[in-house]
Amino acid sequence: MICAVVDVEWMTNPERDIVQLGGIMIDTDADFREKDVFYRNIRRIHTPDNYEDLFELMFKNAATGPEVDMSDAARDFAEWIRSCEVIMVWGEQSKRNLENIFAEHCIEKKEIIDFQEKLIDKERISFKKICRCNGIAITKALHHSMNDCEYLVQVIKAEAEKDPTILYGEEINQDVVIARLCSKLGMKLRIKFGFYFVYTNISSWYFNNDGKKIVLHHENFNKRNNGHSWANDYHIQNKKFQNAEEVIKYIYCHDKGRYKYF
């Protein structure tokens, strides 16, 4: 999946002037390989109200290049994200700011995922804490778009290694999620007549994802009887599953633990 990891920096003044827009384009299916980067230093509209805002603005603008108008930055950004499938940001306000940019500058809609929200079941964790939890050392100043994007890519990669399904948003078709998860885990998938057939190096499996508790069928390659139909070679696993992602992870763990015996 081609993903744009994006950060929007804004002033704390009432108008929330955007002062930086940056992003890193990555390929999640190629070990999060970096494909391209984007950065624009945005010309502010309003004058800072106090010394704190002025200091913040001076820091954000330090060694970041010339300022451009928001309209020009938005036009370039729209072209930059054309090839990406999804955008990921950290935090509700960043998502809202980016949605406003899309609306105000007539940018074609892309799905924007708040990665902090994806971790909500673990608590609404701070960016520094999630970096620390994943062993990511923060050696560059935060609240600079490119630095934050760099660390967010590392966070997303670390969390995806624990749970590959965390990469996908609600708008992506469920079959696509299952197919990408199988590919990520080195397994092959075929979907036929409403059944999902999963193949590992040592066995094959199938199940019907019909919204009910899933019954999983399993066949060991070394026990296959070529004289029988495929259905006669499978046996039912003594376990029920709530969803397809749970099934795929079970298959992966089941066969991974048996590689050494074959």
Side-chain angles (χ1 to χ4, degrees), residues 178-192:
I178 297 171
R180 285 176 169 163
L181 179 55
C182 286
S183 176
K184 179 77 174 180
L185 298 177
M187 303 185 295
K188 296 180 180 179
L189 173 71
R190 288 181 60 205
I191 303 175
K192 191 174 182 180

Side-chain angles (χ1 to χ4, degrees), residues 1 26-34 153 157-158 161 184:
M1 178 174 67
I26 57 173
D27 185 348
T28 62
D29 296 327
D31 198 30
F32 288 72
R33 177 173 56 87
E34 182 180 303
V153 168
K157 181 178 181 181
E161 288 175 352
K184 179 77 174 180

Side-chain angles (χ1 to χ4, degrees), residues 76-248:
D76 295 343
F77 183 71
E79 181 63 29
W80 185 72
I81 63 171
R82 190 180 298 278
S83 64
C84 83
E85 299 174 62
V86 67
I87 297 172
M88 290 198 182
V89 299
W90 180 266
E92 182 180 359
Q93 187 60 54
S94 287
K95 181 178 180 180
R96 187 179 301 117
N97 286 342
L98 197 56
E99 288 173 338
N100 290 339
I101 292 173
F102 274 51
E104 292 173 8
H105 299 276
C106 301
I107 299 176
E108 181 182 356
K109 182 181 178 183
K110 294 275 187 178
E111 183 179 12
I112 303 171
I113 296 176
D114 172 2
F115 201 75
Q116 185 184 35
E117 181 69 21
K118 298 281 278 185
L119 303 174
I120 198 71
D121 59 327
K122 302 178 182 180
E123 70 178 293
R124 198 158 183 89
I125 193 168
S126 72
F127 192 62
K128 285 184 178 180
K129 185 173 181 180
I130 195 63
C131 286
R132 186 167 61 250
C133 289
N134 284 294
I136 300 168
I138 298 176
T139 58
K140 301 178 182 179
L142 295 180
H143 303 298
H144 184 288
S145 282
M146 295 315 297
N147 294 348
D148 287 5
C149 284
E150 181 181 329
Y151 290 126
L152 183 53
V153 168
Q154 295 180 53
V155 167
I156 294 171
K157 181 178 181 181
E159 292 294 327
E161 288 175 352
K162 305 172 193 174
D163 179 9
T165 63
I166 202 169
L167 293 174
Y168 308 115
E170 295 178 356
E171 296 182 14
I172 294 181
N173 184 279
Q174 184 68 14
D175 288 353
V176 175
V177 174
I178 297 171
R180 285 176 169 163
L181 179 55
C182 286
S183 176
K184 179 77 174 180
L185 298 177
M187 303 185 295
K188 296 180 180 179
L189 173 71
R190 288 181 60 205
I191 303 175
K192 191 174 182 180
F193 305 124
F195 287 88
Y196 295 75
F197 296 85
V198 180
Y199 305 92
T200 70
N201 288 342
I202 62 173
S203 65
S204 62
W205 310 71
Y206 78 90
F207 62 93
N208 183 9
N209 188 18
D210 57 4
K212 303 176 183 178
K213 286 191 175 181
I214 298 173
V215 177
L216 180 61
H217 302 256
H218 175 227
E219 177 198 31
N220 287 320
F221 287 160
N222 67 328
K223 294 181 180 179
R224 178 181 294 169
N225 182 345
N226 293 325
H228 293 166
S229 66
W230 63 267
N232 292 332
D233 295 327
Y234 285 80
H235 61 275
I236 297 175
Q237 294 296 105
N238 186 26
K239 180 177 176 59
K240 299 296 188 297
F241 303 87
Q242 298 295 328
N243 55 62
E245 290 92 340
E246 186 180 328
V247 174
I248 300 304

